[in-house]
Amino acid sequence: MKDKRAIVVGAGLGGLSAAAYLARAGLEVDVFERNSYPGGYACSFVRGPYEFEASLHELSGIGPPGNRGSCYRVLEGCDVARRVEFLPIDDFYTSIFPDFTVRVPHGWEAAEEAYCDQFPRERKGISRVMQAMRRINDASAEASKITKASDALTLPFKAGDLVRSMGITVAQALDREMKDPGLKALFTNIWGYYGLPPSRLSWLLFAVANASYIEHGPYHVKGTTQALSNAFVESIEDNGGRVHLRDGVVSIEVADGRATGVVTGQGGRHKADFVVCSANPITTCFSLIGPDKVPADYLKALAGRHIAVSTFNVYMGLDHPAADLGLDGHEFFINEGYDYDDQYLRMFTTDRPSYWAVTNYNHADPEFSPPGTSVVVLTALVDYTPWAHLPADRYRETKDRIAREMIEATDRRFPGLKDHLAVVEVSTPITNMRYSGNPGGSILGFDYDLAGSPPFRLSNRGPLERLFFANAWVRMGGGMETCITSGLFAYGEVMKDLRGTRGLAKLLPATG
Amino acid sequence: MALRDLADGLHDVASIGLVLGKQMVADSLADVRDVEPGLPDELVERLHPRRVPGRVAEIIEETASTRTLRLVPVGEPFPPFRAGQFFALLCEVGGVRTSRAYSVSSPPTRSYLDITVRKMPSGFVSVYLCEEAAVGDVFELSGPGGSFYHEPMTDSRELVFLAGGSGVTPFMSMVRSFADLDAGPRVHLVYGSRTLDDVIFEDELAAMARTHESFRLDLVISEPPDEFSGCRGFLDAPMLSSLLDGAEGKTFFICGPHAMYGLCTGALEGLGVSPASVKKEASGPPPDITLVEGWPKKIKPSKKATVRIEGTRSSFEALCGEPLLNSLERNGVAVENLCRSGECGVCRSQLVSGEVFMPASVVLRKADVAFGYIHPCMSYPLGDITIRL
Ligand SMILES: Cc1cc2nc3c(=O)[nH]c(=O)nc-3n(C[C@H](O)[C@H](O)[C@H](O)COP(=O)(O)OP(=O)(O)OC[C@H]3O[C@@H](n4cnc5c(N)ncnc54)[C@H](O)[C@@H]3O)c2cc1C
Ligand SMILES: Cc1cc2nc3c(=O)[nH]c(=O)nc-3n(C[C@H](O)[C@H](O)[C@H](O)COP(=O)(O)OP(=O)(O)OC[C@H]3O[C@@H](n4cnc5c(N)ncnc54)[C@H](O)[C@@H]3O)c2cc1C
Ligand code: FES
């Protein structure tokens, strides 16, 4: 298939994964990335003696040998898994609320036990919710095997939970089963990973994504996600593809409603049989293609969706081990209250957040920073709108103020933290925009609301013939496992065009 | 369970869920916010433009070998920077497109950017800027870059600035901005120069020291006139221990010529200062790479090596003693860069075959070391090499 050429716009995880699959299938693959490194959000950066993970808190879908998750299988399928070392994280998360702290382990029984220990009177409801999550998870695995329309029609009877989950929010799913607002807040405390509070978040997405963590455990990448991104590049290049850095795509060429090639910032003009965009669909349509060449329906579909939130990160290098300051785990959520809607609304202001994660990277990898030191990162979800309207000269004071207030508040929970700061770096939605090109600095593409849950996300097929998307904005959605998977999907769509293949299962190796 | 399976299968049964979910979808569309597909690049450009032009509005002759180019914006205002940061100034000298990093010497509170350049004896760009650049010239800038600034969240309220030669420039921006704001930490500037005539900004610094109780200035001159009554010598251990009253609890900043870093770092260690409280500015390629620790002594800097660029027909001869980026540029190959000191990673490239020398000061990501990447601005070919840009 060397006579067919695919160009991939951007080296985010979605684009890298699509490129790796395409190169393995024998296409001639060129990836054009405007940054000097691959990975988009999946990268690291260095300040003094510290190297920081830019994004990853917990990677889902990896699992230990013998219980590999789907992300691992997708990485095996494009010959990346063997080039990366995955480090298990012992717990799922630790929630800190004003009145209680609960450590939630992974594993179905263990997690359920942790919720029940704190709320023994709600044991029944908790158990029913956990069972529903498992059924949704199993049914969606079943659903993937459906090949005949007649089977699809019987699915609602066999998998009522699954079908119902598509139409309800997390809050609706829990309301009947849980009473205490504290329990609901604890059970859903990881909602930040999915960008919407339980009152708006798709139950299907929550159930399936959480199941992936609970069943296979969360993981970290040795050497940060930059190692994962570099491994993708190595696989692409081993299979004859090329990743061109510092050479972004400035326009996508179109003839007769078909993508035919790209023009890059360094002035290259490249013809292609297929164009796969890691770059988001909004920039792709409005600036790389031009809205006049995109079908109006597609633009309308874009405008009808909501851009998910961005992040505010305080990256801290400490001259002291974090475990000595009480950070005896990997991921902690600090909550100032139990009202997630209130936490969400705060994200649309530049007030100090009331819900954020504290991540201790030395927990899963004691070699993460030099001996005697540690790296701790505070991450809050924030929306980009207040940042977009901030005058340039107020940018820094605003980000410094919020960072200081978050450090103060974290120090109240983990005393001593602020006396050990050796390096502090702060990122905002503008930083995210800069390094990913994503509107709003969104970390998840469009929202995971009911209209944006996996089955209803935009297709991996773009608005033009021979144009595809592999990123957070389309199916499966935002997050690393999902973006890596979107690359496989985009590849599957290219293959359909190329040789009419149906069904991705055939393209993947058997479970490892 | 596989998320990917979900999409593969569910997209066929999606219509069923669609019916059930329709009302909910409608509800959630009445969301709290507008959908603003405002293109991200426009917002980012205000803070981090890829390139910004600056016009030389004025040239101030500071010393016999040093001048300040006062740059004003041509269109959009310059992006905000922190006192102590640098910009890369792009230029074409003798037919070669290149750039150099220059710390801003004016404070961030002004609408212009001052770049203060000292002419290096065998320099390239600095000679051009000091001899040829004229009022009205327009230069492209990229940046700001660097982390050599005062960070109240981590630094002490007592700062000691150790400057040598043109390395005073980032400190000038910092002390000017503390004075402008009439706030900030206590600053002790110890500024070394070869002769009294080489001291840049002498009058302004002396005036600030007189009017600001929180600012102390010590000039150290290595070749002073006989009648000179100030400090004679270098910024070495005896000098620093005599000038500083105690080092405890202070944050130290060092910026100057290469030789100064070893001297000052050693002196501070002797005074019991922990490396975590010492910040050092990037300093570009050393004047003589063969003196840098780790350089293989058997290789002469004048040795020639062939550099091949994978995927192109391009190949050329380079000197082992010259940074790879410089030889690339001389041969017409442009590589985006910023600090030219091995620290920012903008020039990150892949070494496909052969061997290069990178000083220990080069900052590489762990994953980049593992997968064979280099920073060409501070990489020296030790023999024939092939790189991928
Ligand atoms: C702080 C933070 C924490 C996170 N934590 C987690 C977590 O714990 N677990 C998890 O699973 N996920 C997490 N995520 C989300 C995850 O990182 C993202 O959803 C995912 O990496 C997005 O991948 P993508 O394929 O959409 O590409 P992106 O990362 O968005 O990259 C897009 C790429 O395209 C390039 N590009 C854009 N336009 C062009 C152009 N015109 N020409 C060339 N190149 C272009 C960009 O430079 C960039 O490299 C986090 C994200 C952030 C920011
Ligand atoms: C962050 C930063 C901030 C800076 N701020 C300032 C500032 O405010 N003011 C200022 O004047 N300068 C500053 N510099 C230095 C500046 O960037 C240039 O390095 C300087 O102007 C010399 O450039 P040049 O082109 O004239 O010399 P180059 O041609 O780059 O050479 C510089 C010197 O190094 C030696 N050298 C370099 N390469 C070789 C080689 N291959 N073989 C042998 N010798 C070599 C030469 O002897 C020469 O004298 C800064 C540098 C950095 C990294
Ligand atoms: S230009 Fe900064 S590392 Fe090379």
Side-chain angles (χ1 to χ4, degrees):
Chain A
M1 248 175 277
K2 266 282 175 240
D3 52 328
K4 294 291 177 195
R5 186 176 195 206
I7 283 180
V8 178
V9 182
L13 287 179
L16 287 170
S17 153
Y21 271 99
L22 290 165
R24 261 176 91 72
L27 278 81
E28 190 189 335
V29 176
D30 285 281
V31 183
F32 291 96
E33 164 59 52
R34 38 180 220 178
N35 291 331
S36 59
Y37 61 86
Y41 290 140
C43 71
S44 69
F45 61 92
V46 184
R47 291 287 180 277
Y50 302 92
E51 179 164 349
F52 294 96
E53 163 65 52
S55 58
L56 182 65
H57 288 222
E58 298 188 345
L59 184 58
S60 57
I62 298 299
N67 179 26
R68 294 297 194 194
S70 77
C71 187
Y72 191 88
R73 284 167 53 210
V74 176
L75 291 171
E76 267 186 331
C78 56
D79 195 23
V80 168
R82 70 180 172 92
R83 304 170 196 264
V84 186
E85 187 187 339
F86 295 102
L87 303 171
I89 295 170
D90 51 5
D91 289 323
F92 188 11
Y93 60 87
T94 300
S95 285
I96 301 169
F97 285 99
D99 308 309
F100 62 85
T101 295
V102 172
R103 184 177 294 257
V104 182
H106 59 81
W108 288 104
E109 285 75 26
E112 184 171 327
E113 227 18 69
Y115 297 129
C116 291
D117 277 355
Q118 185 66 32
F119 294 94
R121 275 192 278 169
E122 305 223 29
R123 186 172 282 279
K124 263 200 197 134
I126 294 169
S127 177
R128 272 199 298 268
V129 172
M130 297 289 281
Q131 280 163 23
M133 277 171 63
R134 280 182 98 150
R135 281 195 303 272
I136 293 169
N137 191 35
D138 295 345
S140 63
E142 271 299 304
S144 71
K145 296 182 193 129
I146 292 174
T147 48
K148 289 196 306 253
S150 55
D151 289 351
L153 288 175
T154 61
L155 186 73
F157 306 102
K158 287 201 249 163
D161 285 297
L162 171 64
V163 174
R164 213 172 311 118
S165 74
M166 296 180 193
I168 60 173
T169 62
V170 175
Q172 285 168 326
L174 303 189
D175 264 351
R176 269 169 289 154
E177 308 292 0
M178 296 180 179
K179 305 233 151 35
D180 196 312
L183 171 59
K184 289 184 198 171
L186 167 66
F187 188 79
T188 59
N189 207 195
I190 202 164
W191 69 264
Y193 281 20
Y194 314 131
L196 279 180
S199 53
R200 290 159 188 273
L201 183 62
S202 153
W203 171 233
L204 168 66
L205 181 278
F206 183 88
V208 168
N210 264 20
S212 188
Y213 283 119
I214 292 177
E215 221 163 87
H216 305 286
Y219 276 76
H220 213 271
V221 181
K222 180 82 181 170
T224 76
T225 49
Q226 191 66 63
L228 175 62
S229 301
N230 285 2
F232 267 113
V233 172
E234 194 182 72
S235 167
I236 294 165
E237 297 190 335
D238 279 357
N239 286 291
R242 278 294 309 272
V243 179
H244 309 261
L245 300 171
R246 293 177 289 270
D247 197 9
V249 167
V250 292
S251 71
I252 293 176
E253 299 202 299
V254 179
D256 305 326
R258 208 176 231 248
T260 59
V262 303
V263 177
T264 71
Q266 290 187 11
R269 180 170 238 122
H270 307 273
K271 291 238 150 292
D273 299 291
F274 305 97
V275 176
V276 181
C277 288
S278 189
N280 70 85
I282 295 172
T283 314
T284 301
C285 291
F286 285 88
S287 102
L288 302 184
I289 300 173
D292 50 316
K293 296 192 210 101
V294 179
D297 281 356
Y298 196 84
L299 298 181
K300 227 186 271 166
L302 290 180
R305 287 171 186 264
H306 304 185
I307 296 170
V309 285
S310 185
T311 51
F312 185 95
N313 281 299
V314 185
Y315 300 94
M316 302 182 289
L318 308 186
D319 61 7
H320 196 77
D324 290 2
L325 303 171
L327 281 149
D328 52 354
H330 174 81
E331 187 80 337
F332 299 80
F333 296 121
I334 295 191
N335 297 271
E336 297 185 341
Y338 301 90
D339 183 346
Y340 37 69
D341 289 315
D342 185 66
Q343 293 176 338
Y344 182 61
L345 288 176
R346 186 90 73 101
M347 296 170 187
F348 293 81
T349 71
T350 53
D351 293 345
R352 173 166 65 70
S354 50
Y355 163 51
W356 67 93
V358 184
T359 312
N360 167 15
Y361 285 95
N362 292 73
H363 186 72
D365 180 4
E367 293 168 356
F368 196 84
S369 64
T373 71
S374 55
V375 165
V376 174
V377 178
L378 312 179
T379 305
L381 293 185
V382 294
D383 190 77
Y384 81 105
T385 22
W387 294 90
H389 300 129
L390 207 62
D393 57 356
R394 293 225 2 248
Y395 176 70
R396 211 194 98 213
E397 65 177 69
T398 307
K399 90 182 209 183
D400 285 359
R401 173 183 50 78
I402 301 172
R404 258 196 323 272
E405 292 174 354
M406 283 176 72
I407 291 171
E408 289 283 342
T410 308
D411 182 80
R412 283 197 286 279
R413 187 59 186 71
F414 299 104
L417 179 90
K418 70 173 194 259
D419 305 326
H420 290 290
L421 300 177
V423 170
V424 174
E425 187 71 49
V426 182
S427 73
T428 71
I430 306 279
T431 321
N432 283 3
M433 284 187 201
R434 179 182 179 195
Y435 291 109
S436 70
N438 285 326
S442 170
I443 63 165
L444 300 164
F446 291 116
D447 265 342
Y448 275 127
D449 52 15
L450 295 180
S453 86
F456 309 120
R457 274 185 111 76
L458 286 176
S459 157
N460 300 85
R461 276 188 185 270
L464 306 175
E465 287 287 306
R466 303 294 166 99
L467 179 76
F468 304 85
F469 287 116
N471 57 40
W473 301 79
V474 297
R475 199 145 52 216
M476 303 289 304
M480 296 199 180
E481 173 177 4
T482 38
C483 284
I484 291 167
T485 308
S486 80
L488 171 65
F489 287 174
Y491 157 69
E493 296 296 330
V494 170
M495 293 320 261
K496 281 184 200 167
D497 277 12
L498 210 53
R499 56 179 192 207
T501 309
R502 288 280 302 170
L504 288 166
K506 287 177 224 134
L507 305 172
L508 271 184
T511 311
Chain B
M1 145 62 209
L3 275 179
R4 65 165 188 91
D5 298 337
L6 235 194
D8 198 15
L10 284 196
H11 109 223
D12 294 329
V13 292
S15 52
I16 302 165
L18 240 186
V19 178
L20 295 173
K22 211 162 187 174
Q23 187 49 44
M24 308 318 307
V25 173
D27 288 354
S28 80
L29 283 179
D31 201 83
V32 285
R33 64 216 163 93
D34 311 326
V35 177
E36 239 182 272
L39 293 179
D41 293 355
E42 290 163 27
L43 288 167
V44 172
E45 275 289 303
R46 289 189 318 183
L47 294 160
H48 304 286
R50 219 178 78 78
R51 295 262 193 277
V52 56
R55 183 171 52 81
V56 181
E58 196 183 334
I59 294 181
I60 304 154
E61 303 296 341
E62 306 281 4
T63 72
S65 62
T66 310
R67 67 195 328 208
T68 292
L69 306 182
R70 178 155 295 172
L71 301 165
V72 294
V74 174
E76 292 294 300
F78 291 130
F81 68 99
R82 296 178 76 150
Q85 286 191 300
F86 63 85
F87 280 81
L89 184 139
L90 285 72
C91 52
E92 187 171 324
V93 181
V96 178
R97 295 237 5 117
T98 184
S99 83
R100 292 291 183 273
Y102 291 99
S103 305
V104 180
S105 59
S106 54
T109 38
R110 312 285 161 84
S111 60
Y112 53 79
L113 290 181
D114 279 352
I115 299 287
T116 302
V117 186
R118 166 154 291 168
K119 185 160 72 181
M120 306 285 289
S122 57
F124 189 53
V125 174
S126 63
V127 174
Y128 173 83
L129 293 177
C130 286
E131 291 178 356
E132 318 261 331
V135 169
D137 286 357
V138 173
F139 291 98
E140 298 265 278
L141 304 169
S142 66
S147 326
F148 194 69
Y149 46 72
H150 170 49
E151 174 50 75
M153 282 187 270
T154 53
D155 297 351
S156 155
R157 300 268 313 153
E158 281 198 61
L159 311 183
V160 179
F161 293 166
L162 305 178
S166 67
V168 74
T169 52
F171 299 126
M172 206 54 202
S173 180
M174 290 192 248
V175 294
R176 280 167 162 167
S177 77
F178 299 150
D180 269 17
L181 300 171
D182 207 16
R186 296 190 70 80
V187 173
H188 182 184
L189 171 63
V190 183
Y191 176 16
S193 299
R194 193 167 63 85
T195 70
L196 263 183
D197 291 337
D198 287 329
V199 179
I200 317 173
F201 309 120
E202 185 180 5
D203 296 344
E204 188 180 344
L205 285 169
M208 273 194 284
R210 274 195 305 276
T211 52
H212 290 80
E213 183 268 331
S214 60
F215 177 54
R216 173 176 161 194
L217 172 70
D218 280 306
L219 295 179
V220 177
I221 309 296
S222 60
E223 296 173 22
D226 291 343
E227 69 280 10
F228 182 67
S229 60
C231 306
R232 294 162 177 265
F234 298 94
L235 303 194
D236 51 13
M239 181 65 74
L240 291 187
S241 57
S242 80
L243 289 177
L244 307 175
D245 24 76
E248 200 172 332
K250 297 178 181 173
T251 304
F252 293 81
F253 288 67
I254 309 178
C255 183
H258 276 268
M260 202 184 120
Y261 288 85
L263 208 58
C264 291
T265 311
L268 293 180
E269 254 167 44
L271 291 171
V273 177
S274 103
S277 3
V278 184
K279 295 189 180 185
K280 298 174 194 161
E281 179 53 310
S283 50
D288 185 350
I289 187 66
T290 65
L291 301 179
V292 173
E293 202 180 308
W295 174 268
K297 289 288 173 244
K298 57 184 189 302
I299 297 199
K300 296 230 156 53
S302 56
K303 181 182 156 185
K304 291 206 172 102
T306 304
V307 177
R308 265 184 214 88
I309 302 169
E310 212 197 51
T312 71
R313 262 176 235 115
S314 213
S315 83
F316 55 84
E317 296 253 286
L319 292 177
C320 293
E322 184 176 50
L324 190 51
L325 182 62
N326 294 21
S327 5
L328 284 162
E329 287 173 340
R330 184 133 15 75
N331 286 280
V333 183
V335 181
E336 184 74 21
N337 63 81
L338 181 62
C339 72
R340 298 182 85 99
S341 303
E343 291 198 356
C344 72
V346 170
C347 66
R348 175 189 183 278
S349 302
Q350 205 175 340
L351 181 65
V352 180
S353 69
E355 208 189 330
V356 300
F357 172 71
M358 280 187 280
S361 61
V362 171
V363 179
L364 284 162
R365 297 174 176 98
K366 289 190 202 101
D368 285 348
V369 174
F371 285 86
Y373 289 84
I374 59 171
H375 293 174
C377 64
M378 281 287 261
S379 297
Y380 298 77
L382 294 178
D384 296 350
I385 61 167
T386 303
I387 54 169
R388 208 176 264 167
L389 295 175

